[in-house]
Amino acid sequence: MSKNKEIQDQTLKIPKVILITAKLFVAISPKLATKFTAKLFTTPIKHKIPKREFHMDKESVQEIVFVPSINKEIVVYHYGKSEKKILLVHGWSGRGTQLVKIADELLNLGYSTISFDAPAHGKSKGNSSIMIEFIASILELEKQFGPFEFAIGHSLGGMSILNAIREKLKIRKVVIIGSGDIIQDIIDDFIKKLELNPEIGIKLREHFEKKYGVEMNYYSASNAAKEVLIPVLIIHDENDVDVNVKVAYNIKENLNISELMITKNLGHRKILGNTEVIKRIVEFIKE
């Protein structure tokens, strides 16, 4: 299998039955189509834990934590016993053990990690979630188990950490890997994958803004980045088909103190286990 084919295969495929249903709703009623796409957009896919994560799952102390601000429970993983703690945040359709290779190296450095299954992800209950709930979970974990020295986030997890810092999460440095950025771009990409008219994407954003009472652009990573004063290491693959590499440059432009690492042929997920990536994270933490 070629590198490009391998990277393409990492992206999430939408089943044909969903594509047909979405188009049917559009034909019947734009309002129904908006509700249907909103449900799809906020429903993560739960994947089985792969073998490479088994030991972290087994060796972690796990507990259920209630997050009052969203009235939901999350499963939290305590990995390692050091008082020096690092927060790990997975991306959409991820889980608390997904950054296992990074976590293992952090334990070797003398840290412990705290991670979690966001609402409706991994072992956490529920069927739907949204970034607002990721942010709320991060802030609750800081309250209960902090302070954290550093935070590392993948994809939506990276966006969530930047937003949490704006909402007073206290850490010394942050690493974001394959982070998304502009909310409308994320919605538009989702609508494109559903093979629907771009107008549905605008209606979807308006639906969320009405529901949550805030402009969705407020949560864009580059917007939150303007208020992040600590050093940030941005890692992104130039062949990431889920999140275009241009996003990394845009986030960097809006940060106060930042470094950028661009990788090749790792895509959106394999980047998490890459030796050079983990080595750079370790160097950044040690600096």
Side-chain angles (χ1 to χ4, degrees):
M1 184 185 287
S2 69
K3 279 283 182 188
N4 283 342
K5 180 68 169 67
E6 200 174 316
I7 291 163
Q8 290 284 342
D9 286 347
Q10 286 186 47
T11 194
L12 297 175
K13 300 288 193 300
I14 295 175
K16 281 188 179 180
V17 65
I18 291 178
L19 298 178
I20 293 166
T21 306
K23 287 173 184 175
L24 187 62
F25 275 123
V26 170
I28 296 168
S29 159
K31 191 174 181 179
L32 279 177
T34 302
K35 285 186 176 181
F36 180 70
T37 53
K39 182 172 176 56
L40 285 178
F41 190 77
T42 56
T43 303
I45 298 166
K46 289 197 178 189
H47 300 282
K48 287 183 179 178
I49 300 176
K51 286 183 180 179
R52 64 179 174 274
E53 299 173 24
F54 279 1
H55 69 279
M56 184 175 177
D57 182 53
K58 187 179 178 182
E59 294 167 25
S60 296
V61 174
Q62 299 174 27
E63 64 175 307
I64 295 171
V65 170
F66 180 67
V67 184
S69 60
I70 56 174
N71 195 32
K72 289 189 176 184
E73 292 178 341
I74 57 173
V75 173
V76 177
Y77 300 77
H78 301 261
Y79 192 45
K81 296 178 180 178
S82 173
E83 287 301 309
K84 297 192 298 178
K85 301 170 189 173
I86 298 178
L87 177 69
L88 305 178
V89 186
H90 67 76
W92 187 251
S93 294
R95 60 209 158 267
T97 53
Q98 193 169 13
L99 278 67
V100 60
K101 295 287 188 184
I102 296 169
D104 284 342
E105 197 56 44
L106 296 176
L107 260 63
N108 291 337
L109 281 179
Y111 294 94
S112 61
T113 67
I114 302 278
S115 58
F116 63 100
D117 293 334
H121 289 71
K123 299 176 184 178
S124 293
K125 291 179 181 177
N127 299 308
S128 68
S129 189
I130 199 164
M131 184 167 66
I132 292 165
E133 297 181 348
F134 277 63
I135 299 164
S137 298
I138 290 168
L139 295 172
E140 184 61 30
L141 290 185
E142 182 191 35
K143 209 179 285 181
Q144 294 200 29
F145 307 115
F148 302 117
E149 297 207 21
F150 309 102
I152 302 170
H154 174 238
S155 197
L156 184 68
M159 295 177 71
S160 300
I161 291 171
L162 293 179
N163 276 279
I165 292 169
R166 177 167 56 182
E167 294 187 28
K168 311 306 178 193
L169 169 69
K170 301 284 188 228
I171 47 175
R172 287 165 50 199
K173 292 180 180 179
V174 59
V175 180
I176 60 173
I177 308 166
S179 174
D181 182 15
I182 309 295
I183 302 297
Q184 187 65 62
D185 287 351
I186 294 168
I187 290 173
D188 288 347
D189 182 61
F190 176 72
I191 294 301
K192 188 178 178 181
K193 284 178 179 172
L194 285 172
E195 300 173 8
L196 300 178
N197 191 300
E199 287 179 13
I200 299 295
I202 295 168
K203 290 183 185 295
L204 184 56
R205 173 180 53 78
E206 290 171 347
H207 166 83
F208 288 129
E209 289 178 342
K210 187 178 179 182
K211 183 175 181 178
Y212 294 102
V214 61
E215 287 188 14
M216 287 294 101
N217 185 53
Y218 174 81
Y219 294 106
S220 296
S222 53
N223 195 11
K226 295 170 186 174
E227 297 180 49
V228 175
L229 304 178
I230 59 172
V232 180
L233 172 61
I234 307 159
I235 304 175
H236 211 109
D237 193 78
E238 66 177 28
N239 306 104
D240 190 328
V241 294
D242 286 346
V243 184
N244 194 290
V245 69
K246 69 181 181 183
V247 163
Y249 293 98
N250 193 43
I251 294 172
K252 180 172 171 53
E253 277 183 20
N254 288 278
L255 286 164
N256 288 273
I257 311 165
S258 64
E259 297 176 33
L260 182 61
M261 177 185 187
I262 301 296
T263 61
K264 291 183 180 181
N265 299 320
L266 295 175
H268 192 62
R269 292 171 188 82
K270 283 194 173 182
I271 195 169
L272 295 175
N274 180 261
T275 305
E276 290 304 310
V277 167
I278 295 170
K279 182 183 173 185
R280 184 67 196 94
I281 292 170
V282 168
E283 288 171 353
F284 179 70
I285 285 172
K286 283 181 171 181
E287 285 168 0

